[in-house]
Amino acid sequence: MDQDSHCTAERELLEAVRRITTSSTTSPSDEEGQRKAEIACQVRKENPEKDYTQDSSATLSPNSSMTTKELQEYWRNEKRQCKQIKLLFEIPSTRIVEHHLSKYVMYKIIILQTGSFDSNKSVIERRYSDFEKLHRNLLEEFSEELEDVTFPKKSLTGNFTEEIINERKLAFKDYLRLLYSMKYIRRSKKFIDFLTRPELQEAYGCLRGGQYTKALEILSEVIGLQERLTRGNPVAIVPTLCAIVVCHKDLENPASAFEYGEKALARLCVHTSHRYYMPLLETMITLAYELGKDFLSLQEKLEEWKTKKDPIRVFTLKELAVREYVR
């Protein structure tokens, strides 16, 4: 739930309190509850990254807000929607790759969302050098947090024996679990890039090459994991959503393109200065007109944006997409 939705819900909650107490004069505790809710709403707007769910029950005074089933159910729903998604890491298998003069082991990593069976799993492959690079990069920023974390050493010989490979499977599984358990590390760009960047680079490479079906296949696989990893920063997946829009549009699937465009716009509603906002609006206007949907409201947003910004050159949505992950 975004910031404005939280504020709207709180205003509706206050209205419910007022309806319940219309037969009596507003008490000081009611006025205090309203004042606290308004303050909480303003603070949430100013600090969108912070999770206020745990303190939500304190935004209204107990006497005015926590005495009815309606309000108790509201807070239960709030906590349920903001509950942290937990991921599990499994490394069930490996494969040895021989490429020209090099030889290495690829570790198959399955990332599962707890309580979701297999419907939300993601599957990626990484080699020892990928883990090693991740650890080196994380040490630059989180040396204190990682001082007690042991990284499996590379041996001079025997790296391809079944015993060593099995030991590393278990070690890398524990390593990922430990990293994810540390809030600042699991939210860091370096950790998220380790789990998503290779696939995104491949997808955008396919997009630049006009292989939209292949790009869409990869993007559809990675976006679920990317979304779960960046749950506290919904704007982070806007480029991926827009790349999916571009693929569907070029594959002449305007309905699917419009669907993903709406998801991207919802994440940019309070981030109109984002580089994707205007190009996305232009694309959505075209799609809405093609589908016979209301495009006037989108056109109004675009005109409003133009009046507030200096007239500078703006890339199209496709031009922005093909520039992502260019080495």
Side-chain angles (χ1 to χ4, degrees):
M1 183 179 290
D2 59 25
Q3 306 156 19
D4 290 338
S5 297
H6 274 296
C7 296
T8 300
E10 286 170 350
R11 285 194 290 270
E12 291 174 352
L13 179 58
L14 290 169
E15 183 60 31
V17 173
R18 284 194 288 270
R19 288 199 301 269
I20 292 170
T21 58
T22 51
S23 59
S24 61
T25 304
T26 303
S27 67
S29 61
D30 291 330
E31 293 175 351
E32 178 66 10
Q34 179 176 347
R35 186 181 66 81
K36 287 183 178 180
E38 291 172 350
I39 292 172
C41 178
Q42 182 62 32
V43 169
R44 186 177 289 109
K45 280 188 174 182
E46 295 172 356
N47 300 276
E49 301 84 6
K50 188 173 180 180
D51 182 6
Y52 291 93
T53 307
Q54 292 179 348
D55 298 323
S56 59
S57 61
T59 59
L60 295 175
S61 64
N63 292 337
S64 65
S65 66
M66 298 306 293
T67 57
T68 69
K69 291 182 179 180
E70 178 183 4
L71 301 180
Q72 290 172 356
E73 181 63 25
Y74 169 81
W75 291 124
R76 276 197 293 269
N77 290 335
E78 281 287 281
K79 291 179 180 180
R80 190 179 301 121
Q81 291 179 18
C82 297
K83 186 177 180 181
Q84 178 195 336
I85 289 178
K86 294 184 179 180
L87 301 180
L88 300 176
F89 298 88
E90 298 290 342
I91 304 182
S93 61
T94 61
R95 63 186 179 95
I96 297 175
V97 178
E98 296 190 51
H99 184 68
H100 297 303
L101 299 178
S102 63
K103 183 179 180 181
Y104 53 87
V105 179
M106 293 294 290
Y107 296 86
K108 180 179 180 180
I109 306 169
I110 297 179
I111 305 162
L112 295 163
Q113 181 178 322
T114 56
S116 64
F117 303 102
D118 291 334
S119 60
N120 290 316
K121 74 177 181 181
S122 299
V123 181
I124 60 176
E125 283 189 318
R126 298 292 183 267
R127 54 188 291 188
Y128 181 94
S129 60
D130 296 324
F131 282 96
E132 191 176 40
K133 181 180 178 181
L134 168 66
H135 191 68
R136 188 167 58 249
N137 289 340
L138 289 176
L139 281 174
E140 295 175 358
E141 188 175 354
F142 305 105
S143 58
E144 185 176 342
E145 289 85 348
L146 295 173
E147 63 181 356
D148 295 324
V149 176
T150 302
F151 187 82
K153 301 294 184 181
K154 196 167 188 176
S155 305
L156 294 176
T157 60
N159 288 300
F160 302 102
T161 63
E162 184 177 354
E163 181 181 3
I164 293 296
I165 291 174
N166 285 334
E167 285 180 1
R168 286 186 181 162
K169 278 168 54 178
L170 295 174
F172 284 142
K173 173 185 172 181
D174 289 340
Y175 178 70
L176 290 173
R177 179 182 58 80
L178 279 171
L179 294 184
Y180 187 76
S181 70
M182 303 177 194
K183 181 176 67 173
Y184 294 109
I185 290 182
R186 72 167 174 263
R187 292 181 179 178
S188 71
K189 185 178 184 299
K190 293 173 181 178
F191 181 67
I192 294 171
D193 278 353
F194 169 79
L195 296 171
T196 61
R197 189 177 180 89
E199 287 71 25
L200 288 171
Q201 286 178 325
E202 181 183 0
Y204 279 95
C206 292
L207 192 157
R208 284 189 289 273
Q211 298 175 280
Y212 302 115
T213 300
K214 180 64 175 176
L216 188 58
E217 179 184 334
I218 301 171
L219 290 169
S220 299
E221 286 287 330
V222 74
I223 194 169
L225 174 59
Q226 191 183 21
E227 186 171 18
R228 294 193 293 274
L229 288 167
T230 60
R231 188 171 177 81
N233 181 21
V235 177
I237 69 165
V238 166
T240 307
L241 287 170
C242 289
I244 292 176
V245 171
V246 169
C247 290
H248 276 303
K249 188 173 184 294
D250 279 37
L251 290 170
E252 300 183 356
N253 299 325
S256 296
F258 191 84
E259 176 188 349
Y260 279 93
E262 284 186 315
K263 293 179 181 179
L265 271 182
R267 287 163 170 78
L268 294 179
C269 63
V270 293
H271 300 280
T272 57
S273 61
H274 196 282
R275 69 187 189 282
Y276 271 88
Y277 183 70
M278 182 178 173
L280 178 59
L281 271 179
E282 291 177 332
T283 300
M284 290 295 283
I285 290 169
T286 301
L287 291 169
Y289 182 80
E290 182 179 349
L291 294 167
K293 295 179 179 289
D294 171 34
F295 63 89
L296 294 178
S297 60
L298 295 170
Q299 186 70 48
E300 289 174 0
K301 290 180 180 179
L302 181 61
E303 295 302 323
E304 181 184 357
W305 187 92
K306 287 181 177 179
T307 60
K308 294 180 180 179
K309 301 292 179 180
D310 294 329
I312 57 174
R313 182 179 184 272
V314 178
F315 293 113
T316 66
L317 195 68
K318 188 172 182 177
E319 286 173 337
L320 277 179
V322 298
R323 282 168 170 76
E324 294 284 348
Y325 294 95
V326 175
R327 295 185 180 182

